[in-house]
Amino acid sequence: MPEKAPSISIKNWSQDDQPREKLRDKGKAALSDAELVAIIIGSGNRDESALDLCKRILASADNNLNQLGKLSIKQLMDFKGIGEAKAISIAAAMELGRRRRGEEALERKKITSSVSVFELMQPIIGELPHEEFWIIYLNNANKVIQKQQLSKGGITGTLVDVRLVLKNALEFGAVGIILAHNHPSGTLKPSEADKQITQKLKKAGESLDIKVLDHLIVTEKAYFSFADDNLL
């Protein structure tokens, strides 16, 4: 049986095919996802170049960067050639990408629709394995003043502190608030607890002229808006 040919190191490839040089000469957009990740890890293993290894890692995540970002350090280290340092480098790069999406959404600041709320909150809560409930505080121009986590671990198991929400709204000078929480299960149907909390905060805010403008249920790729569905 013929022996398997040894992998050719990236440094021995044609310069046009080397990821670092390709990025330098042709720009970031010219590189595939696998080539970008190959730059991060730097080297492969005895049987694979960094690029081949990264193609295999991405294939295991359905060639989806969001899925890649969900892999744990331990899961990444299951690939031959990925030690702890490389796994941490990949995880750090994925987290930077996630944070950049969040900052880009925040730069838009003004909330004009349920879509803009989704763009703001999806990078924060859309991919979490547990449930979190957040409040977005808005001024009279519908611009984001502040956003804060209200609870973590599931609405039904958490007492909503309405007084704290309204106290913060007064301190921030907010005239409107938007509620947002995620459903790790992926379901977009609001529960009875979701509806009750929405009405509780809406009723409490009316006496202070603080309006609940919407409540979004956020998943990885979609959302449900109480306002759009006339549930407010």
Side-chain angles (χ1 to χ4, degrees), residues 21 26 34 40 50 72-73 77 80 85 91 93 98-99 107 111 115 120 138 146 152 155 162 166 179 195 212:
E21 287 71 17
K26 299 182 179 180
I40 293 167
S72 66
I73 301 297
M77 289 174 65
K80 182 181 178 182
R98 187 191 69 80
R99 293 185 185 187
E107 284 172 6
I111 300 298
V115 173
L120 178 66
L138 306 174
Q146 184 65 271
K152 178 179 178 180
I155 291 176
V162 175
L166 297 179
L179 323 177
K195 296 175 183 177
V212 174

PDB file of all heavy atoms in Angstrom, residues 21 26 34 40 50 72-73 77 80 85 91 93 98-99 107 111 115 120 138 146 152 155 162 166 179 195 212:
ATOM      1  N   GLU A  21       0.223  36.286   2.603  1.00  0.00           N
ATOM      2  CA  GLU A  21       0.647  37.091   1.464  1.00  0.00           C
ATOM      3  C   GLU A  21      -0.558  37.471   0.594  1.00  0.00           C
ATOM      4  O   GLU A  21      -0.614  38.564   0.021  1.00  0.00           O
ATOM      5  CB  GLU A  21       1.687  36.323   0.640  1.00  0.00           C
ATOM      6  CG  GLU A  21       3.057  36.217   1.303  1.00  0.00           C
ATOM      7  CD  GLU A  21       3.077  35.291   2.512  1.00  0.00           C
ATOM      8  OE1 GLU A  21       2.134  34.480   2.673  1.00  0.00           O
ATOM      9  OE2 GLU A  21       4.022  35.392   3.318  1.00  0.00           O
ATOM     10  N   LYS A  26      -3.871  41.119  -1.922  1.00  0.00           N
ATOM     11  CA  LYS A  26      -5.182  41.161  -2.572  1.00  0.00           C
ATOM     12  C   LYS A  26      -6.306  41.662  -1.678  1.00  0.00           C
ATOM     13  O   LYS A  26      -7.418  41.882  -2.139  1.00  0.00           O
ATOM     14  CB  LYS A  26      -5.537  39.767  -3.105  1.00  0.00           C
ATOM     15  CG  LYS A  26      -4.552  39.252  -4.144  1.00  0.00           C
ATOM     16  CD  LYS A  26      -4.971  37.894  -4.690  1.00  0.00           C
ATOM     17  CE  LYS A  26      -3.996  37.401  -5.749  1.00  0.00           C
ATOM     18  NZ  LYS A  26      -4.397  36.074  -6.292  1.00  0.00           N
ATOM     19  N   ALA A  34     -11.710  29.640   5.505  1.00  0.00           N
ATOM     20  CA  ALA A  34     -10.669  28.689   5.905  1.00  0.00           C
ATOM     21  C   ALA A  34      -9.293  29.337   5.865  1.00  0.00           C
ATOM     22  O   ALA A  34      -8.446  29.097   6.738  1.00  0.00           O
ATOM     23  CB  ALA A  34     -10.701  27.456   5.006  1.00  0.00           C
ATOM     24  N   ILE A  40      -4.822  32.470  11.532  1.00  0.00           N
ATOM     25  CA  ILE A  40      -4.900  32.517  12.993  1.00  0.00           C
ATOM     26  C   ILE A  40      -4.100  31.379  13.625  1.00  0.00           C
ATOM     27  O   ILE A  40      -3.354  31.598  14.579  1.00  0.00           O
ATOM     28  CB  ILE A  40      -6.376  32.445  13.458  1.00  0.00           C
ATOM     29  CG1 ILE A  40      -7.128  33.704  13.034  1.00  0.00           C
ATOM     30  CG2 ILE A  40      -6.472  32.259  14.977  1.00  0.00           C
ATOM     31  CD1 ILE A  40      -8.630  33.595  13.177  1.00  0.00           C
ATOM     32  N   ALA A  50      -2.159  23.946   7.402  1.00  0.00           N
ATOM     33  CA  ALA A  50      -3.083  24.740   8.227  1.00  0.00           C
ATOM     34  C   ALA A  50      -4.403  24.945   7.492  1.00  0.00           C
ATOM     35  O   ALA A  50      -5.483  24.885   8.086  1.00  0.00           O
ATOM     36  CB  ALA A  50      -2.448  26.081   8.579  1.00  0.00           C
ATOM     37  N   SER A  72     -16.481  24.825  21.788  1.00  0.00           N
ATOM     38  CA  SER A  72     -15.715  25.083  23.003  1.00  0.00           C
ATOM     39  C   SER A  72     -14.225  24.848  22.747  1.00  0.00           C
ATOM     40  O   SER A  72     -13.840  24.274  21.714  1.00  0.00           O
ATOM     41  CB  SER A  72     -16.184  24.157  24.127  1.00  0.00           C
ATOM     42  OG  SER A  72     -15.878  22.802  23.815  1.00  0.00           O
ATOM     43  N   ILE A  73     -13.407  25.290  23.684  1.00  0.00           N
ATOM     44  CA  ILE A  73     -11.963  25.046  23.580  1.00  0.00           C
ATOM     45  C   ILE A  73     -11.697  23.548  23.466  1.00  0.00           C
ATOM     46  O   ILE A  73     -10.903  23.102  22.634  1.00  0.00           O
ATOM     47  CB  ILE A  73     -11.226  25.610  24.832  1.00  0.00           C
ATOM     48  CG1 ILE A  73     -11.473  27.121  24.975  1.00  0.00           C
ATOM     49  CG2 ILE A  73      -9.729  25.325  24.743  1.00  0.00           C
ATOM     50  CD1 ILE A  73     -10.959  27.958  23.850  1.00  0.00           C
ATOM     51  N   MET A  77      -9.978  21.394  20.408  1.00  0.00           N
ATOM     52  CA  MET A  77      -8.763  20.607  20.664  1.00  0.00           C
ATOM     53  C   MET A  77      -8.911  19.137  20.263  1.00  0.00           C
ATOM     54  O   MET A  77      -7.928  18.399  20.239  1.00  0.00           O
ATOM     55  CB  MET A  77      -8.378  20.715  22.143  1.00  0.00           C
ATOM     56  CG  MET A  77      -7.838  22.082  22.529  1.00  0.00           C
ATOM     57  SD  MET A  77      -7.548  22.248  24.309  1.00  0.00           S
ATOM     58  CE  MET A  77      -6.234  21.033  24.551  1.00  0.00           C
ATOM     59  N   LYS A  80      -6.795  17.053  15.459  1.00  0.00           N
ATOM     60  CA  LYS A  80      -5.353  16.845  15.481  1.00  0.00           C
ATOM     61  C   LYS A  80      -4.646  18.085  14.947  1.00  0.00           C
ATOM     62  O   LYS A  80      -4.962  18.577  13.860  1.00  0.00           O
ATOM     63  CB  LYS A  80      -4.983  15.625  14.631  1.00  0.00           C
ATOM     64  CG  LYS A  80      -3.489  15.306  14.628  1.00  0.00           C
ATOM     65  CD  LYS A  80      -3.208  14.103  13.746  1.00  0.00           C
ATOM     66  CE  LYS A  80      -1.707  13.813  13.690  1.00  0.00           C
ATOM     67  NZ  LYS A  80      -1.404  12.669  12.789  1.00  0.00           N
ATOM     68  N   ALA A  85      -3.405  26.471  22.813  1.00  0.00           N
ATOM     69  CA  ALA A  85      -3.098  27.836  22.362  1.00  0.00           C
ATOM     70  C   ALA A  85      -3.839  28.171  21.073  1.00  0.00           C
ATOM     71  O   ALA A  85      -4.407  29.261  20.932  1.00  0.00           O
ATOM     72  CB  ALA A  85      -1.593  27.997  22.163  1.00  0.00           C
ATOM     73  N   ALA A  91     -11.043  30.825  19.351  1.00  0.00           N
ATOM     74  CA  ALA A  91     -12.163  31.290  20.173  1.00  0.00           C
ATOM     75  C   ALA A  91     -12.113  32.806  20.349  1.00  0.00           C
ATOM     76  O   ALA A  91     -13.143  33.493  20.305  1.00  0.00           O
ATOM     77  CB  ALA A  91     -12.134  30.594  21.531  1.00  0.00           C
ATOM     78  N   ALA A  93     -10.742  35.001  18.288  1.00  0.00           N
ATOM     79  CA  ALA A  93     -11.090  35.646  17.020  1.00  0.00           C
ATOM     80  C   ALA A  93     -12.603  35.636  16.794  1.00  0.00           C
ATOM     81  O   ALA A  93     -13.182  36.628  16.342  1.00  0.00           O
ATOM     82  CB  ALA A  93     -10.385  34.930  15.865  1.00  0.00           C
ATOM     83  N   ARG A  98     -17.934  38.600  17.094  1.00  0.00           N
ATOM     84  CA  ARG A  98     -19.243  38.767  17.723  1.00  0.00           C
ATOM     85  C   ARG A  98     -19.374  40.159  18.336  1.00  0.00           C
ATOM     86  O   ARG A  98     -20.395  40.829  18.174  1.00  0.00           O
ATOM     87  CB  ARG A  98     -19.447  37.703  18.803  1.00  0.00           C
ATOM     88  CG  ARG A  98     -20.845  37.692  19.407  1.00  0.00           C
ATOM     89  CD  ARG A  98     -20.902  36.821  20.644  1.00  0.00           C
ATOM     90  NE  ARG A  98     -20.146  37.410  21.744  1.00  0.00           N
ATOM     91  CZ  ARG A  98     -20.606  38.390  22.522  1.00  0.00           C
ATOM     92  NH1 ARG A  98     -21.789  38.920  22.304  1.00  0.00           N
ATOM     93  NH2 ARG A  98     -19.863  38.871  23.506  1.00  0.00           N
ATOM     94  N   ARG A  99     -18.332  40.610  19.020  1.00  0.00           N
ATOM     95  CA  ARG A  99     -18.370  41.936  19.655  1.00  0.00           C
ATOM     96  C   ARG A  99     -18.419  43.045  18.609  1.00  0.00           C
ATOM     97  O   ARG A  99     -19.065  44.064  18.811  1.00  0.00           O
ATOM     98  CB  ARG A  99     -17.148  42.119  20.560  1.00  0.00           C
ATOM     99  CG  ARG A  99     -17.166  41.197  21.763  1.00  0.00           C
ATOM    100  CD  ARG A  99     -16.022  41.488  22.696  1.00  0.00           C
ATOM    101  NE  ARG A  99     -15.974  40.515  23.790  1.00  0.00           N
ATOM    102  CZ  ARG A  99     -15.155  40.595  24.832  1.00  0.00           C
ATOM    103  NH1 ARG A  99     -14.310  41.609  24.929  1.00  0.00           N
ATOM    104  NH2 ARG A  99     -15.178  39.670  25.763  1.00  0.00           N
ATOM    105  N   GLU A 107     -23.770  51.491  17.012  1.00  0.00           N
ATOM    106  CA  GLU A 107     -23.469  52.752  16.332  1.00  0.00           C
ATOM    107  C   GLU A 107     -24.702  53.336  15.648  1.00  0.00           C
ATOM    108  O   GLU A 107     -24.814  54.539  15.476  1.00  0.00           O
ATOM    109  CB  GLU A 107     -22.357  52.526  15.293  1.00  0.00           C
ATOM    110  CG  GLU A 107     -20.971  52.384  15.926  1.00  0.00           C
ATOM    111  CD  GLU A 107     -19.921  51.972  14.907  1.00  0.00           C
ATOM    112  OE1 GLU A 107     -20.258  51.904  13.706  1.00  0.00           O
ATOM    113  OE2 GLU A 107     -18.784  51.707  15.308  1.00  0.00           O
ATOM    114  N   ILE A 111     -33.497  53.556  17.246  1.00  0.00           N
ATOM    115  CA  ILE A 111     -34.362  52.418  17.002  1.00  0.00           C
ATOM    116  C   ILE A 111     -35.511  52.869  16.106  1.00  0.00           C
ATOM    117  O   ILE A 111     -36.318  53.718  16.477  1.00  0.00           O
ATOM    118  CB  ILE A 111     -34.914  51.836  18.322  1.00  0.00           C
ATOM    119  CG1 ILE A 111     -33.759  51.372  19.225  1.00  0.00           C
ATOM    120  CG2 ILE A 111     -35.879  50.701  18.045  1.00  0.00           C
ATOM    121  CD1 ILE A 111     -32.895  50.272  18.646  1.00  0.00           C
ATOM    122  N   VAL A 115     -36.620  45.414  13.526  1.00  0.00           N
ATOM    123  CA  VAL A 115     -35.392  44.895  12.910  1.00  0.00           C
ATOM    124  C   VAL A 115     -34.163  45.514  13.560  1.00  0.00           C
ATOM    125  O   VAL A 115     -33.170  44.833  13.834  1.00  0.00           O
ATOM    126  CB  VAL A 115     -35.378  45.178  11.382  1.00  0.00           C
ATOM    127  CG1 VAL A 115     -34.028  44.793  10.778  1.00  0.00           C
ATOM    128  CG2 VAL A 115     -36.494  44.419  10.691  1.00  0.00           C
ATOM    129  N   LEU A 120     -29.447  44.980  17.207  1.00  0.00           N
ATOM    130  CA  LEU A 120     -28.741  45.409  18.406  1.00  0.00           C
ATOM    131  C   LEU A 120     -28.537  44.258  19.382  1.00  0.00           C
ATOM    132  O   LEU A 120     -27.459  44.099  19.957  1.00  0.00           O
ATOM    133  CB  LEU A 120     -29.542  46.528  19.097  1.00  0.00           C
ATOM    134  CG  LEU A 120     -28.982  47.071  20.409  1.00  0.00           C
ATOM    135  CD1 LEU A 120     -27.658  47.799  20.173  1.00  0.00           C
ATOM    136  CD2 LEU A 120     -29.982  48.002  21.065  1.00  0.00           C
ATOM    137  N   LEU A 138     -34.638  54.177  26.011  1.00  0.00           N
ATOM    138  CA  LEU A 138     -34.603  55.104  24.884  1.00  0.00           C
ATOM    139  C   LEU A 138     -34.991  56.512  25.306  1.00  0.00           C
ATOM    140  O   LEU A 138     -35.803  56.700  26.223  1.00  0.00           O
ATOM    141  CB  LEU A 138     -35.581  54.646  23.796  1.00  0.00           C
ATOM    142  CG  LEU A 138     -35.443  53.212  23.270  1.00  0.00           C
ATOM    143  CD1 LEU A 138     -36.578  52.907  22.309  1.00  0.00           C
ATOM    144  CD2 LEU A 138     -34.106  53.012  22.601  1.00  0.00           C
ATOM    145  N   GLN A 146     -29.188  53.420  27.078  1.00  0.00           N
ATOM    146  CA  GLN A 146     -28.506  52.356  27.828  1.00  0.00           C
ATOM    147  C   GLN A 146     -29.235  51.042  27.572  1.00  0.00           C
ATOM    148  O   GLN A 146     -30.428  51.024  27.259  1.00  0.00           O
ATOM    149  CB  GLN A 146     -28.530  52.685  29.327  1.00  0.00           C
ATOM    150  CG  GLN A 146     -27.772  51.731  30.230  1.00  0.00           C
ATOM    151  CD  GLN A 146     -26.287  51.730  29.975  1.00  0.00           C
ATOM    152  OE1 GLN A 146     -25.816  50.962  29.148  1.00  0.00           O
ATOM    153  NE2 GLN A 146     -25.552  52.583  30.678  1.00  0.00           N
ATOM    154  N   LYS A 152     -31.087  36.542  34.354  1.00  0.00           N
ATOM    155  CA  LYS A 152     -30.366  35.500  33.634  1.00  0.00           C
ATOM    156  C   LYS A 152     -30.843  34.140  34.126  1.00  0.00           C
ATOM    157  O   LYS A 152     -30.999  33.934  35.319  1.00  0.00           O
ATOM    158  CB  LYS A 152     -28.855  35.653  33.900  1.00  0.00           C
ATOM    159  CG  LYS A 152     -27.973  34.600  33.239  1.00  0.00           C
ATOM    160  CD  LYS A 152     -26.509  34.884  33.552  1.00  0.00           C
ATOM    161  CE  LYS A 152     -25.590  33.840  32.954  1.00  0.00           C
ATOM    162  NZ  LYS A 152     -24.174  34.107  33.258  1.00  0.00           N
ATOM    163  N   ILE A 155     -37.017  33.394  32.471  1.00  0.00           N
ATOM    164  CA  ILE A 155     -37.993  34.337  33.013  1.00  0.00           C
ATOM    165  C   ILE A 155     -38.837  33.710  34.114  1.00  0.00           C
ATOM    166  O   ILE A 155     -39.093  34.310  35.148  1.00  0.00           O
ATOM    167  CB  ILE A 155     -38.895  34.862  31.878  1.00  0.00           C
ATOM    168  CG1 ILE A 155     -38.083  35.753  30.950  1.00  0.00           C
ATOM    169  CG2 ILE A 155     -40.075  35.654  32.426  1.00  0.00           C
ATOM    170  CD1 ILE A 155     -38.854  36.236  29.752  1.00  0.00           C
ATOM    171  N   VAL A 162     -39.646  45.265  38.812  1.00  0.00           N
ATOM    172  CA  VAL A 162     -40.234  46.376  38.066  1.00  0.00           C
ATOM    173  C   VAL A 162     -39.736  47.711  38.597  1.00  0.00           C
ATOM    174  O   VAL A 162     -39.462  48.642  37.836  1.00  0.00           O
ATOM    175  CB  VAL A 162     -41.774  46.307  38.142  1.00  0.00           C
ATOM    176  CG1 VAL A 162     -42.401  47.531  37.479  1.00  0.00           C
ATOM    177  CG2 VAL A 162     -42.276  45.033  37.467  1.00  0.00           C
ATOM    178  N   LEU A 166     -37.914  50.800  36.406  1.00  0.00           N
ATOM    179  CA  LEU A 166     -38.416  52.174  36.343  1.00  0.00           C
ATOM    180  C   LEU A 166     -37.466  53.160  37.008  1.00  0.00           C
ATOM    181  O   LEU A 166     -37.314  54.293  36.550  1.00  0.00           O
ATOM    182  CB  LEU A 166     -39.801  52.246  36.979  1.00  0.00           C
ATOM    183  CG  LEU A 166     -40.879  51.416  36.265  1.00  0.00           C
ATOM    184  CD1 LEU A 166     -42.210  51.536  36.985  1.00  0.00           C
ATOM    185  CD2 LEU A 166     -41.018  51.844  34.809  1.00  0.00           C
ATOM    186  N   LEU A 179     -38.217  45.672  25.783  1.00  0.00           N
ATOM    187  CA  LEU A 179     -37.835  44.439  26.459  1.00  0.00           C
ATOM    188  C   LEU A 179     -37.292  43.471  25.414  1.00  0.00           C
ATOM    189  O   LEU A 179     -37.769  43.436  24.274  1.00  0.00           O
ATOM    190  CB  LEU A 179     -39.038  43.812  27.163  1.00  0.00           C
ATOM    191  CG  LEU A 179     -40.048  44.766  27.821  1.00  0.00           C
ATOM    192  CD1 LEU A 179     -41.203  43.980  28.414  1.00  0.00           C
ATOM    193  CD2 LEU A 179     -39.369  45.631  28.857  1.00  0.00           C
ATOM    194  N   LYS A 195     -45.868  37.184  28.158  1.00  0.00           N
ATOM    195  CA  LYS A 195     -46.987  38.126  28.022  1.00  0.00           C
ATOM    196  C   LYS A 195     -47.271  38.854  29.336  1.00  0.00           C
ATOM    197  O   LYS A 195     -47.523  40.062  29.352  1.00  0.00           O
ATOM    198  CB  LYS A 195     -48.236  37.385  27.550  1.00  0.00           C
ATOM    199  CG  LYS A 195     -48.109  36.783  26.160  1.00  0.00           C
ATOM    200  CD  LYS A 195     -49.339  35.958  25.799  1.00  0.00           C
ATOM    201  CE  LYS A 195     -49.199  35.280  24.453  1.00  0.00           C
ATOM    202  NZ  LYS A 195     -50.372  34.428  24.135  1.00  0.00           N
ATOM    203  N   VAL A 212     -43.664  51.160  27.218  1.00  0.00           N
ATOM    204  CA  VAL A 212     -43.066  49.924  26.707  1.00  0.00           C
ATOM    205  C   VAL A 212     -43.366  49.897  25.209  1.00  0.00           C
ATOM    206  O   VAL A 212     -44.513  49.744  24.788  1.00  0.00           O
ATOM    207  CB  VAL A 212     -43.651  48.676  27.396  1.00  0.00           C
ATOM    208  CG1 VAL A 212     -43.113  47.397  26.723  1.00  0.00           C
ATOM    209  CG2 VAL A 212     -43.284  48.663  28.875  1.00  0.00           C
TER     210      VAL A 212
END
